[in-house]
Amino acid sequence: GEPTSRPSRKPPTANRVPRPPPRLFASAMLSGRVAILMVDDREVGSPSPSGTTLAYPSLAFALNAEYACSHGYDLLYYRMVGPSCSHATQGERHGSYCKLPAIAHALGRGYDAVAFIDSDSYFRIDVPRFRNMSVPQLVAEYSPPLTATAPRGGPSAWFACDLPQLGDRPNGGFHVWRAGEMAKALLAHWWHAPAGRFATEHDFEQHVLQWQLHHLAAAIPALATLQLKAMADTFAHAVAHVDHTKAERRRPLLAAALLRASLEAPARPAPAALMSPLASSHEQASLRRLLGQADAALPASPGASIERRLLKAVARRLRPRAAQLHVA
């Protein structure tokens, strides 16, 4: 009879190890102890320039503390002694640069991963799906596909991107670092690279990130730019970055997010939560009306009257243990 045809098989390639899908790979790399890190020279709870309302770093701290509590993470708030820091040989640097030694210090405390988040940025705990998303899950959700140049061990740092405003490049407002020698080397190079006029001028350390570090042959495979559009006006992703171009909207946006989160049941028990539960259905209805008015005005500034009402409502929701978040 006719000979039976058999499909040909390629011989196995030496040292060829199957790699998991990008999302599983990214999530597995960040297992272990995770810390959320904020760095600022303002005391948490310091008043705004008017002296009558919460400043936006305090609102961001409360949002990020709620997120950290719901996932069992430590929230590290490194308060600088002044508005700037100093390089041993290059001199004074803007406070935005000070996050780099702070990240290195936090990694040195034994955490497996450190997620840095700016004082004008927050985890979207006002959206249940995002509130329930751990840091490893967040990185996995927004990770780009693995490429041929990706190292076997995976990236050491993941950054939010500048899209849609400025292009698909890393943004310094949110980044996650995986402990290891490569992370140390990247942070050291970033800190010691000549800063020139950007030591004290915008866009500060981000200039070195985007125009030096991001293009080094040794650094390229260790740095990943997430498909996380934190600065988009719609704030539809898991992290919102209300940057300096939206300064007039910072407090109402952050206050509204805190209040909206208080309407949702926590994802898991959080005894250290800063926001107290709503007492009655009447209180819930009143708060929903206020948030509806704010939503109708945003993304433009909602106006001074609504902003004051939002901040006053936040002050009523804060637990006594968060008394440092003070409304003067």
Side-chain angles (χ1 to χ4, degrees), residues 120-165:
D120 55 6
S121 305
Y122 63 97
F123 291 92
R124 291 292 313 279
I125 63 168
D126 53 323
V127 178
R129 182 172 78 89
F130 295 146
R131 183 182 188 125
N132 297 340
M133 191 180 285
S134 67
V135 167
Q137 289 170 337
L138 186 156
V139 169
E141 176 74 17
Y142 294 102
S143 280
L146 291 172
T147 65
T149 60
R152 182 65 54 184
S156 291
W158 294 261
F159 291 78
C161 69
D162 265 349
L163 289 171
Q165 289 96 324

Side-chain angles (χ1 to χ4, degrees), residues 70-317:
S70 70
H71 290 277
Y73 299 150
D74 289 345
L75 173 60
L76 309 178
Y77 187 89
Y78 283 17
R79 188 184 175 198
M80 297 153 47
V81 296
S84 63
C85 48
S86 180
H87 187 278
T89 59
Q90 298 183 43
E92 183 183 13
R93 287 182 165 176
H94 186 271
S96 187
Y97 251 104
C98 308
K99 63 172 68 104
L100 306 183
I103 294 167
H105 184 270
L107 286 169
R109 295 177 61 172
Y111 294 102
D112 297 289
V114 171
F116 169 81
I117 188 163
D118 255 346
S119 298
D120 55 6
S121 305
Y122 63 97
F123 291 92
R124 291 292 313 279
I125 63 168
D126 53 323
V127 178
R129 182 172 78 89
F130 295 146
R131 183 182 188 125
N132 297 340
M133 191 180 285
S134 67
V135 167
Q137 289 170 337
L138 186 156
V139 169
E141 176 74 17
Y142 294 102
S143 280
L146 291 172
T147 65
T149 60
R152 182 65 54 184
S156 291
W158 294 261
F159 291 78
C161 69
D162 265 349
L163 289 171
Q165 289 96 324
L166 301 172
D168 191 8
R169 60 188 190 185
N171 179 273
F174 177 79
H175 28 109
V176 179
W177 293 80
R178 180 165 61 104
E181 292 303 314
M182 178 56 78
K184 292 180 184 178
L186 290 169
L187 287 164
H189 183 94
W190 194 358
W191 172 251
H192 292 299
R197 65 185 177 90
F198 295 102
T200 55
E201 294 181 20
H202 193 271
D203 48 359
F204 312 120
E205 87 296 340
Q206 194 157 276
H207 186 84
V208 170
L209 169 66
Q210 293 178 345
W211 296 102
Q212 292 187 45
L213 191 64
H214 192 53
H215 298 280
L216 290 177
I220 288 172
L223 299 173
T225 302
L226 299 171
Q227 297 162 349
L228 174 64
K229 302 173 185 177
M231 294 197 301
D233 273 346
T234 55
F235 300 115
H237 285 193
V239 173
H241 183 182
V242 194
D243 71 304
H244 66 281
T245 65
K246 311 174 186 70
E248 76 284 352
R249 288 186 273 157
R250 279 173 175 159
R251 287 186 302 176
L253 276 168
L254 272 63
L258 259 176
L259 295 170
R260 194 172 290 109
S262 72
L263 291 169
E264 304 290 342
R268 52 184 57 80
L274 296 182
M275 298 291 285
S276 61
L278 292 163
S280 66
S281 58
H282 173 75
E283 191 177 13
Q284 290 186 29
S286 176
L287 185 52
R288 290 185 191 280
R289 283 194 298 272
L290 174 59
L291 289 171
Q293 293 170 1
D295 290 342
L298 293 167
S301 176
S305 175
I306 290 179
E307 181 175 329
R308 282 196 301 269
R309 291 167 61 197
L310 288 169
L311 292 166
K312 189 177 292 186
V314 167
R316 288 197 299 266
R317 296 261 52 76

